[in-house]
Amino acid sequence: MQIAYGSDRGKNRKVNEDYVSWFTNRAKQPLLLLCDGMGGHRAGDVASEMAVSHMGEAWKLTEFRDCEQVSRWLLDTIQKVNRLIFQKSLDYADLDGMGTTLVAATYVDRELVIAHVGDSRAYLYRNYQLKQLTEDHSLVHELVKSGEITVEEARKHPQRNVVTRSVGTRETIQVDLTSMPVATEDLLILCTDGLSNMIEEDQIKNILKDWSSLDDKVETLINAANDAGGLDNISLILAAFSDREEG
């Protein structure tokens, strides 16, 4: 697996509240993590960095045989991180109400496993097609599902940044899990809404099909989101699969 990631404040934001990184465990299995923080002054960046760093450090001590084992670990660890952030928000007045989206992905026994909370997304790019693997936990997504607004209206809706689930804002949370086999030449994309809200999927596909390096693709996608207005922090991580052994 080849991995590249990047994060940008965006044209119209003074602080970057996103946090993105990846880690390997004792079995050299990768964990990709991306978070989009929210809250009061400086609180969002605290929540997103806490989520990524605590999950990453816990991951380093693990090794897994199969998807079922890693799925249980993801559910349990996200709940622990949720309680940690929630308690910190209670302990410090300036962190009151902080929280973060979270999307985590790993590759174990030739299976991709994704856990997510909020509206940060995972996509799979395969055979020149882009498929969204996660379902947004957001107000506008609920309105789209109920038929009250269209997908196009959702992109411009004044409440498009309102999430219905986030890590750290309640004592317990519901986490969605997705798993699937991957094929050689598949490309996984994790991104915050600073990317997905700013550029169309067709534009993302056109950038991904280019023969440039993963690092160049990350830079091009960030630049495209900024060129479209850069209204939010922009973060993404790309992972390319191959027929070599994982790690």
Side-chain angles (χ1 to χ4, degrees):
M1 180 188 281
Q2 293 178 292
I3 299 170
Y5 65 93
S7 186
D8 189 86
R9 187 179 65 192
K11 280 186 176 179
N12 289 281
R13 290 297 177 95
K14 294 182 179 179
V15 176
N16 191 349
E17 295 185 306
D18 292 354
Y19 206 86
V20 55
S21 191
W22 69 282
F23 305 84
T24 55
N25 64 6
R26 289 172 174 169
K28 304 298 183 185
Q29 295 159 331
L31 177 67
L32 285 57
L33 292 167
L34 179 142
C35 291
D36 180 356
M38 64 201 77
H41 178 63
R42 286 195 56 80
D45 54 343
V46 172
S48 60
E49 184 173 357
M50 280 181 68
V52 171
S53 60
H54 283 281
M55 280 196 71
E57 290 304 310
W59 179 263
K60 290 178 182 179
L61 305 176
T62 65
E63 54 184 294
F64 300 100
R65 295 185 303 273
D66 53 43
C67 284
E68 184 177 347
Q69 200 177 41
V70 77
S71 296
R72 288 197 302 268
W73 183 91
L74 284 168
L75 291 174
D76 182 58
T77 305
I78 292 172
Q79 291 291 351
K80 288 177 181 176
V81 168
N82 176 73
R83 289 192 293 271
L84 191 68
I85 295 172
F86 180 70
Q87 186 58 53
K88 189 152 190 170
S89 73
L90 297 179
D91 292 342
Y92 296 92
D94 58 336
L95 301 180
D96 181 44
M98 73 172 175
T100 183
T101 70
L102 183 146
V103 56
T106 185
Y107 179 55
V108 175
D109 193 27
R110 301 190 181 277
E111 288 271 327
L112 176 66
V113 183
I114 298 167
H116 91 285
V117 179
D119 63 354
S120 294
R121 294 179 177 178
Y123 292 93
L124 188 72
Y125 180 69
R126 174 185 287 175
N127 296 329
Y128 305 104
Q129 298 300 314
L130 189 67
K131 179 183 179 182
Q132 186 175 334
L133 302 178
T134 53
E135 182 174 303
D136 294 351
H137 304 140
S138 67
L139 175 62
V140 294
H141 182 66
E142 294 299 324
L143 294 174
V144 170
K145 282 203 302 182
S146 66
E148 295 181 52
I149 62 173
T150 66
V151 173
E152 182 56 36
E153 287 170 337
R155 293 178 64 86
K156 301 175 182 177
H157 197 281
Q159 293 179 296
R160 63 186 177 275
N161 293 324
V162 177
V163 296
T164 53
R165 290 189 219 170
S166 57
V167 176
T169 52
R170 296 181 180 180
E171 197 165 3
T172 60
I173 51 166
Q174 183 179 348
V175 182
D176 283 3
L177 276 178
T178 304
S179 63
M180 60 181 293
V182 293
T184 303
E185 309 304 331
D186 280 355
L187 185 61
L188 174 70
I189 306 99
L190 310 183
C191 69
T192 58
D193 62 349
L195 180 76
S196 57
N197 279 346
M198 296 310 302
I199 59 177
E200 301 283 351
E201 289 188 5
D202 281 345
Q203 189 175 359
I204 296 174
K205 284 194 292 186
N206 286 334
I207 292 169
L208 294 178
K209 75 178 182 182
D210 189 79
W211 286 102
S212 59
S213 69
L214 285 188
D215 287 317
D216 286 344
K217 286 182 171 69
V218 168
E219 183 177 359
T220 302
L221 286 164
I222 289 173
N223 289 340
N226 271 321
D227 290 344
L231 301 179
D232 202 349
N233 306 147
I234 308 154
S235 299
L236 70 147
I237 184 164
L238 300 180
F241 297 91
S242 71
D243 55 5
R244 293 176 298 175
E245 289 299 310
E246 63 191 51

